[in-house]
């Protein structure tokens, strides 16, 4: 499943290839990826045809391509989605779902933007007036790499929450774009167990895990993103290879690089959490309960 660094790599690829290009035609080959456009695939194609892409933006794992009309093409890659930029004569991909034929620019010939998705949890939609920020994304928090992310506000919100810190990191209304892999990596770096409750962490703990998330995600960006799913490739069709640098994720039973203790795996929200039981001691199960004293008579 693509995480934020992969999506950012895709955004950069789109910014490099599709800006200032006119959408000459749109072919929806499977209705499911455009299911959120309620008027249907034909209306989706009609609204986009003739428009020009003016930018490539991202909030968390959502991407959008603003149009010269002030609207936007909004996309989410889901589990297995890809946005590929291809020469117009490249053979169609097996799981090609939506095909945009883009016109030439002053310097480059025509090309295709292709949405390819095997499992089709992702999708595309048309966002009216969504160029600046699609209204669909208003509830999604900024991500830690966003220059306008508010560290102090995040720390305050975490320390008011009784949820475990890993659950908080995965909550898109608190912070976006930190998926399961980067949450585990950041928690290991910060030496925090994912079940430690937000309201029992110190300010310095929260700041440390936020910095760790930034460091892990920045490193992943430098390497083109992590890929665990053979289905995932970036905008130019190359797989990420950051997985070589992971410390805990997918490393059950292998020694922690800090202390040598075998990495442990536990199930977590239908997925897995990986951690070092020594560097990241689990919280005590039972919260102290305030008990009123009862005076004997
Ligand atoms: Zn360790």
């Amino acid at each position: 499943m693509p995480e934020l660094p992969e999506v950012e790599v895709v955004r950069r690829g789109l910014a490099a290839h599709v800006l200032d290009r006119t959408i000459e035609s749109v072919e929806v080959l499977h209705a499911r990826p455009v299911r959120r456009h309620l008027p249907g695939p034909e209306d989706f194609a009609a609204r986009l045809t003739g428009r020009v892409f003016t930018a490539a933006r991202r909030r968390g794992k959502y991407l959008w391509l603003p149009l010269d009309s002030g609207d936007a093409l909004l996309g989410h890659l889901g589990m297995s989605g890809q946005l590929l930029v291809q020469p117009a004569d490249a053979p169609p991909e097996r799981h090609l779902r939506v095909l945009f034929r883009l016109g030439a620019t002053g310097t480059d010939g025509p090309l295709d933007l292709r949405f390819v998705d095997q499992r089709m949890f992702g999708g595309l939609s048309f966002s009216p007036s969504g160029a600046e920020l699609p209204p669909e994304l208003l509830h999604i928090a900024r991500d830690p790499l966003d220059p306008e992310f508010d560290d102090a506000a995040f720390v305050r919100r975490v320390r008011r929450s009784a949820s475990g810190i890993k659950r908080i990191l995965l909550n898109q209304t608190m912070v976006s774009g930190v998926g399961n892999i980067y949450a585990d990596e950041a928690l290991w770096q910060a030496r925090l167990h994912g079940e430690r409750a937000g309201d029992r962490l110190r300010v310095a703990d929260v700041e440390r895990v936020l910095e760790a998330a930034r460091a892990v995600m920045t490193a992943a960006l430098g390497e083109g993103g992590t890929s665990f799913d053979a289905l995932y490739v970036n905008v130019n069709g190359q797989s990420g290879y950051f997985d070589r640098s992971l410390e805990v994720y997918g490393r059950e039973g292998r020694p922690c690089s800090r202390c040598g203790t075998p990495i442990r795996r536990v199930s977590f929200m239908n997925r897995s959490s990986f951690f070092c039981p020594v560097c990241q001691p689990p919280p005590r199960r039972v919260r102290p309960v305030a008990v009123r004293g009862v005076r004997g008579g």
Side-chain angles (χ1 to χ4, degrees):
M1 179 165 180
E3 297 219 32
L4 182 140
E6 288 86 349
V7 180
E8 173 61 13
V9 168
V10 172
R11 189 200 67 75
R12 291 176 184 181
L14 293 172
H17 294 290
V18 309
L19 301 198
D20 301 324
R21 288 186 186 265
T22 302
I23 303 169
E24 313 244 294
S25 69
V26 182
E27 290 172 52
V28 178
L29 304 169
H30 197 297
R32 183 163 157 77
V34 299
R35 62 195 175 278
R36 291 200 178 80
H37 188 73
L38 300 180
E42 283 173 26
D43 186 79
F44 174 82
R47 285 172 189 272
L48 290 162
T49 303
R51 300 267 63 103
V52 177
F53 290 128
T54 59
R57 297 193 172 131
R58 183 182 58 73
R59 166 88 41 121
K61 290 199 252 180
Y62 285 86
L63 290 163
W64 74 99
L65 293 165
L67 304 165
D68 58 343
S69 57
D71 308 313
L73 172 64
L74 173 62
H76 194 283
L77 300 177
M79 300 289 286
S80 56
Q82 299 167 244
L83 275 166
L84 302 179
V85 173
Q86 295 279 39
D89 57 0
E93 291 74 13
R94 181 159 171 225
H95 300 292
L96 177 61
R97 307 303 187 191
V98 185
L99 171 61
F100 300 85
R101 302 271 190 201
L102 306 183
T105 64
T107 50
D108 293 304
L111 49 74
D112 287 355
L113 175 62
R114 301 180 181 183
F115 184 74
V116 176
D117 195 352
Q118 179 179 343
R119 287 140 92 180
M120 295 193 284
F121 291 109
L124 301 174
S125 60
F126 176 82
S127 178
S129 308
E132 275 306 308
L133 176 65
E136 298 90 331
L137 307 187
L138 278 172
H139 66 288
I140 298 181
R142 291 181 187 277
D143 66 71
L145 301 181
D146 189 320
E148 293 183 47
F149 186 88
D150 187 338
D151 287 25
F154 178 73
V155 170
R156 279 196 302 275
R157 290 186 66 197
V158 169
R159 297 185 72 228
R160 284 199 296 260
S161 169
S163 295
I165 181 67
K166 179 166 177 183
R167 202 172 275 265
I168 292 171
L169 290 173
L170 296 180
N171 177 344
Q172 302 281 299
T173 67
M174 296 284 280
V175 53
S176 68
V178 184
N180 199 42
I181 299 168
Y182 297 112
D184 280 2
E185 292 296 307
L187 288 165
W188 179 84
Q189 259 196 37
R191 300 176 188 248
L192 289 176
H193 191 282
E195 286 174 24
R196 297 272 301 274
D199 59 6
R200 309 199 69 183
L201 295 177
R202 294 168 300 175
V203 171
D205 293 329
V206 184
E207 287 174 345
R208 209 166 62 246
V209 77
L210 188 54
E211 279 314 308
R214 283 200 177 105
V216 171
M217 291 159 82
T218 302
L221 264 178
E223 305 217 17
T226 311
S227 180
F228 290 89
D229 190 336
L231 294 167
Y232 173 75
V233 286
N234 72 22
V235 73
N236 287 319
Q238 297 163 310
S239 293
Y241 49 89
F242 179 65
D243 48 305
R244 288 178 203 159
S245 328
L246 295 174
E247 294 283 357
V248 283
Y249 190 86
R251 292 177 51 87
E252 182 182 17
R254 298 173 64 185
C256 168
S257 71
R258 261 189 320 236
C259 73
T261 307
I263 299 299
R264 197 171 288 172
R265 182 182 71 83
V266 294
S267 59
F268 175 82
M269 294 168 75
N270 297 322
R271 286 180 283 177
S272 295
S273 285
F274 297 88
F275 64 100
C276 170
V278 171
C279 295
Q280 300 165 266
R284 274 176 294 175
R285 287 282 154 194
V286 183
R287 285 182 162 234
V289 178
V291 179
R292 280 170 191 246
V294 178
R295 288 193 182 177

